Amino acid sequence: MPASAGPLDGRDIATGKRLYGETCASCHGAQLEGQPNWREPGADGILPAPPHNESGHTWHHDTGLLFDYVKRGGAAALTDRGVGDFASGMPGFAETLEDSEILDILAFIRSTWSDRMQAVQAERDGN
């Protein structure tokens, strides 16, 4: 792990795991495995929920993007980053989760990755 503190360091992993189970697992899987064929859009043009385990791409993104994606939803988060034509099935949870709860969930997800993948993701945060 990086020596400098990042936005997910010191978070409540147990709370994040519980909240993930209550809020995220129905789409992203109880074992963070995502939905089948997550790389292929459905008939509606929307990609199924991706995995958050090491087989997915979550660890490739900085915490700011992941946080925004959860809080505001995929379409809003990507539009702000210049990707306005991406049909996202990810809803926003701003009305359901506190900011600290989102960070706890993200910290739980990160805690399941290998040390190398955690370090790569932390580097994207500037740590």
Side-chain angles (χ1 to χ4, degrees), residues 6 10 13 22-24 29 33 41 47 51 53 55 64-65 68 75-76 82-83 87 106-107 111:
I13 301 296
E22 294 171 0
T23 311
C24 313
E33 72 274 13
L47 290 167
N53 60 25
S55 71
L65 172 62
D68 203 29
V83 182
L106 294 175
S111 77

Side-chain angles (χ1 to χ4, degrees), residues 37-58:
N37 303 314
W38 64 274
R39 293 181 182 181
E40 300 174 24
D44 60 1
I46 297 175
L47 290 167
H52 290 312
N53 60 25
E54 293 183 8
S55 71
H57 57 80
T58 307

